[in-house]
Amino acid sequence: MSNLYLGYHFTVEPKELGCEILVAELGEKPFESFIETELGVSAYIQKELWTADILDDIYILTSPEFEISYHVEEIEQVNWNEEWEKNFEPIDVDGTCHVRAPFHPKTDAEFDIIIEPKMSFGTGHHETTHMVIQHLLETDLVDKKTLDMGCGTAILAILAEMKGAKLIDAIDIDNWCYLNSIENAERNNCQHISVYEGDASLLVDQKYDVIIANINRNILLNDMHRYVNCLNQNGLLFLSGFYQEDISAIDECCQKLGLKLEKTLERNNWVSLKYRLG
């Protein structure tokens, strides 16, 4: 095995959606690990597996919807734990929920969540995840059947179980997120989370009291009817993954489906909305 790696350091705008697509595309290549950074994402590949044309068919790099630049550096054998430790700081949400990596010390927070910050996104650093955590912290989830759609690392499903939810489904279309969610659920000793690989087409003959969908505007608008069809009367739907300027389109879609807006959270132009059915 080669001791030399190449590190591709990408600056991505808009970051969240761009990084998700970029990582999905790079994941088809021999890249070995991905680390979320302040400006985008870093991708690492063994030098012996690298080819000069490795990025030639990465569609997002030529998409006019994203601005992406990168630089490459040669690195000696990478200590991934050390890299994660440098790039992953613990998160505190309202003094109640603490999100940390396995190498961080435990705190006395009411909800102490351990997330291995590998290739999946959803560490709590991003505004959207942070806001959904805030919503869940003030919601009674005891015995609620819950869906975490686009679960990423399963951080939100894990918090839901810690708050008493039962029969929690976590779904993500990305294989790495699927595997990482299983790992993180086990790492937090969760007993009620079932993880599935796929999209909203899996939501057949399902009913939930609470649905969490932290994805992006277009997917939310496309799949909203599926969420509502699965939501019990008086059930709650938490949405995030979009900007303030997207609220009107999201709200119009939700109102047509019988959802009533109960609360709006905003953080650095990102938005999270709480709806109730009926």
Side-chain angles (χ1 to χ4, degrees), residues 1 13 27 32 51 62 75 105 115 122 139 253:
M1 181 175 176
E13 182 62 39
E32 194 168 294
T51 57
T62 59
I75 309 167
I115 296 294
T139 301
C253 177

Side-chain angles (χ1 to χ4, degrees), residues 20 66 96 118 124 133 137 143 169 222:
E20 288 180 1
F66 301 92
T96 305
K118 292 185 178 178
I133 289 174
L137 288 176
D143 294 329
D169 290 338
N222 184 68

Side-chain angles (χ1 to χ4, degrees), residues 228-277:
V228 173
N229 286 340
C230 292
L231 197 59
N232 287 325
Q233 192 67 16
N234 206 39
L236 296 176
L237 174 63
F238 297 101
L239 302 174
S240 200
F242 49 91
Y243 297 108
Q244 190 172 1
E245 49 267 33
D246 297 320
I247 292 178
S248 58
I250 295 287
D251 191 55
E252 181 181 359
C253 177
C254 288
Q255 287 195 42
K256 286 180 179 178
L257 294 169
L259 294 162
K260 297 178 181 177
L261 181 61
E262 288 196 349
K263 187 163 185 175
T264 301
L265 295 177
E266 296 182 16
R267 190 177 176 91
N268 298 328
N269 201 43
W270 292 93
V271 177
S272 182
L273 306 177
K274 173 186 177 182
Y275 283 92
R276 188 179 298 273
L277 181 62

